[in-house]
Every structure is written in C-alpha cells, then in structure tokens.
Amino acid sequence: MSCDYYETLEINRNASDADIKKAYRRLALKFHPSSNREPGSLEKFTQLGEAYDVLSDSRKKATYDKFGEEGLKGGIPAEFGTGGAWSSKYAYHRNPDKTFKQFFGGDNPFADFYTSDTPLQYGYLQPGVVKTQDSPIERDLHLSLDDLFHGCIKKIKISRRVMNDDGNTSSIKDKILTIDVRPGWKEGTRIIFSKEGDQGPNSIPADIVFIVRQKSHPLFVRRHNDLIYNAKISLEMALTGFSVDVQTLDGRLLTIPINDIVHPAYKKELSGEGMPLSQSPSQRGNLIITFDIQFPEKLSVERKHLIKQALDFKQ
C-alpha cells in the first residue's frame, strides 16, 4: 500500500530536520501502543517509525523526494545512478519500537517499561509509567515603555485542553492568566505559568512562558536602566547655550540648562531620571541627553565673514 511519509508525520515537504524530529516525537508519543490502546494505534505507530526512518536519513530522503516510494524500495533506475541502479533497495525492518528507542536514546520516556527479562508488550499499559512534560509554549508579550516604567496588570485569555472527570476524555476550556508587570522589567524577561498547557492522560502539561518584548517609544530609547533622549539643536545654540525641555514618563517637565559648548560627542547626564531598577524600584537609572546639531546648508559671503570674525580669538 502506497504511503506519503510527509503526510504520515503531518509536515510539508519543506520541513527541516528539526521539524521532522519534532513531528515524530509528538506523534510517536501519542500513538505508542503502551499509552494508546485505540484500534489502529500499532499500525499508525509502525507507519510513523518508517516515515521517520526514511526522512531522517539524508540519502533515503533525497531518493524518496526524487523517485517516490517506488524508487526508494525498488532501486534507482540505471540512467539516474552514478554506477547503475542502487543495489541496496530500502525495506523497513517493521520494528517501530527499535526506531522509537534509537530516537529517544537514554531519555526514552518509556524507559521504565524495559527490563532485561520483561520487554514492552504492545497494547498493554504496564504500571509505573513515567509521565513526561511537553516542551514549554513560548509567546511574546509586547509592552510599552510606559508599562515597563510604571508597572501594570495584563490579563491574557488562553484556550487549553483539560481532562474531564472521567480521566479519559477531554474538552477545550478558556482560562484567564494574570501577569503582574513589575516596574523596570527588561526586554527578554520570562514569565512562567507552570503546567498551564494542554492536559493529557499520560503527559504533564507544558509550561506557558511569556517573553517581554518592548515596543518602541517616540521620545526615548532604553539602554539597560538608562533612558536616552535626543535633542535637535542649531549650531548657534550649540555655541551660545540654551535649555532643553524633557517631558518625563512620570509626567514631569524637566528644564535642563546647557551652558557648555556642545560638540558632536557631548552628552548631558541626569542621575536618577531613568528607568526603575526591577529589583529595587525606588532606585532609577540615568537620563542621558544626546544632541543632533543642525548645521546650516548654505552661508552667504557676509555671514561667513561675520562667523570668521566671531571665531577669531586672536583679536
């Protein structure tokens, strides 16, 4: 009977090696006869083993992709081979448990089922099964700079599969997860909700992990605990002095006098006016003001002469 290995593993033909491994792991655990006693589970488990055995091997996969199952199991036609037909025709060993053990190695989630004198019997769930936890489910949590400055509460609705009271069937239910965003949290902060993923009879629900992603801000750029504000000024202001007005994230208006001559690398730093420190919100980083000096595009001869006179310090 002809079969489509990609369809068996529920992946497309552009799947990477990692995608193939992930798909086999998920489906092999789902249809393993020790935990799935539904009719046809053993045959499905065997099909998964054959599909993974072919697609995880670069040579077998390349042959299957080009010539299909017939070419894989019957040999490559002579005109396509480098030295005639491929003499080693493929045939699956029909031992999906062998494929399963080779895949999981020492981390076999069913390792406790195997002993030197008591092999695993398909279709029989032996006592002492060790449940494995699904991989964490990661989602981005996009927060504004104001959210991260003040802190806030975010409520996120998730839908997950939960086991019913009979212990055999399941249903989809919604749940609200509440995230207490603390002042000063940084990009990449991870918030973990333990075991809030889908429930199953023979698995531990996955952790749900939210990862903080900071949105851009129209005025400030964040660098660790510091805030950077860029002020555009004229050349005249850079040479003669001025003041900068900065509206802070907590609603104050700072007026900062600049009496120094502002050169391209000049910065003004205000201590304690940056982001709160997540471990100690009463302390804050710094506000760093940088300057973008706007030079005139053209100068008349008269203006050039006046500037030369003004900058001639020898007079």
Side-chain angles (χ1 to χ4, degrees):
M1 180 179 176
S2 178
C3 63
D4 186 326
Y5 295 137
Y6 291 98
E7 184 176 335
T8 299
L9 289 177
E10 300 179 3
I11 55 178
N12 60 49
R13 290 183 173 268
N14 296 321
S16 64
D17 290 341
D19 294 331
I20 294 170
K21 289 183 173 66
K22 183 178 180 180
Y24 175 74
R25 183 185 192 281
R26 177 176 62 84
L27 294 171
L29 290 173
K30 178 180 179 180
F31 288 99
H32 197 287
S34 65
S35 58
N36 189 328
R37 289 174 284 182
E38 295 180 2
S41 62
L42 177 56
E43 181 58 30
K44 177 66 173 179
F45 185 62
T46 303
Q47 293 172 0
L48 291 168
E50 180 175 343
Y52 179 75
D53 188 58
V54 172
L55 298 183
S56 64
D57 184 291
S58 59
R59 183 182 179 187
K60 296 175 189 173
K61 181 177 182 296
T63 302
Y64 175 72
D65 286 345
K66 187 168 186 178
F67 302 103
E69 185 180 7
E70 182 179 351
L72 177 69
K73 295 182 177 180
I76 301 174
E79 61 268 24
F80 293 103
T82 55
W86 180 26
S87 58
S88 179
K89 301 177 182 180
Y90 173 75
Y92 186 52
H93 48 63
R94 300 292 297 177
N95 185 354
D97 189 43
K98 177 181 177 181
T99 305
F100 186 85
K101 288 190 203 178
Q102 289 174 340
F103 178 84
F104 285 98
D107 295 327
N108 186 346
F110 297 100
D112 286 2
F113 288 160
Y114 301 97
T115 63
S116 58
D117 55 357
T118 308
L120 173 68
Q121 299 296 318
Y122 289 142
Y124 175 68
L125 184 60
Q126 299 190 18
V129 59
V130 177
K131 293 185 177 182
T132 59
Q133 186 174 22
D134 295 334
S135 300
I137 301 169
E138 297 185 348
R139 295 288 183 270
D140 289 341
L141 177 64
H142 295 278
L143 298 172
S144 68
L145 192 58
D146 293 270
D147 290 336
L148 296 170
F149 182 88
H150 297 284
C152 63
I153 299 293
K154 293 291 183 181
K155 294 182 180 293
I156 300 174
K157 184 172 75 172
I158 64 169
S159 297
R160 63 172 188 156
R161 186 173 296 280
V162 297
M163 297 301 299
N164 296 327
D165 293 338
D166 59 15
N168 295 315
T169 61
S170 61
S171 56
I172 300 296
K173 293 186 177 180
D174 293 337
K175 183 173 183 178
I176 301 296
L177 300 180
T178 300
I179 300 176
D180 182 9
V181 178
R182 306 292 179 84
W185 273 3
K186 298 178 181 177
E187 174 93 6
T189 297
R190 299 168 68 88
I191 306 99
I192 301 174
F193 289 88
S194 180
K195 302 177 183 177
E196 290 289 358
D198 290 340
Q199 297 178 356
N202 296 302
S203 64
I204 300 171
D207 294 340
I208 295 181
V209 183
F210 291 96
I211 304 173
V212 171
R213 302 300 180 199
Q214 181 182 293
K215 300 177 184 178
S216 60
H217 191 275
L219 297 180
F220 299 105
V221 173
R222 183 180 184 179
R223 186 176 64 195
H224 306 299
N225 295 316
D226 296 336
L227 291 175
I228 300 173
Y229 177 87
N230 183 257
K232 292 185 177 181
I233 62 173
S234 66
L235 179 58
E236 175 192 353
M237 295 166 68
L239 297 175
T240 60
F242 56 99
S243 62
V244 179
D245 291 336
V246 180
Q247 187 78 36
T248 65
L249 292 173
D250 55 3
R252 294 175 295 120
L253 180 64
L254 301 179
T255 299
I256 303 103
I258 307 295
N259 298 316
D260 301 322
I261 292 178
V262 177
H263 52 79
Y266 180 86
K267 296 178 182 179
K268 184 73 173 180
E269 189 167 316
L270 282 73
S271 178
E273 292 291 350
M275 292 293 291
L277 277 59
S278 58
Q279 300 299 323
S280 181
S282 61
Q283 300 182 45
R284 291 167 57 175
N286 300 327
L287 171 63
I288 301 172
I289 304 176
T290 60
F291 299 92
D292 183 5
I293 305 172
Q294 306 293 302
F295 284 79
E297 295 182 0
K298 295 181 179 180
L299 287 172
S300 66
V301 174
E302 293 78 12
R303 289 182 180 274
K304 289 181 181 179
H305 179 69
L306 290 172
I307 290 173
K308 287 180 179 180
Q309 285 185 323
L311 298 178
D312 186 0
F313 300 111
K314 296 179 181 180
Q315 293 183 357

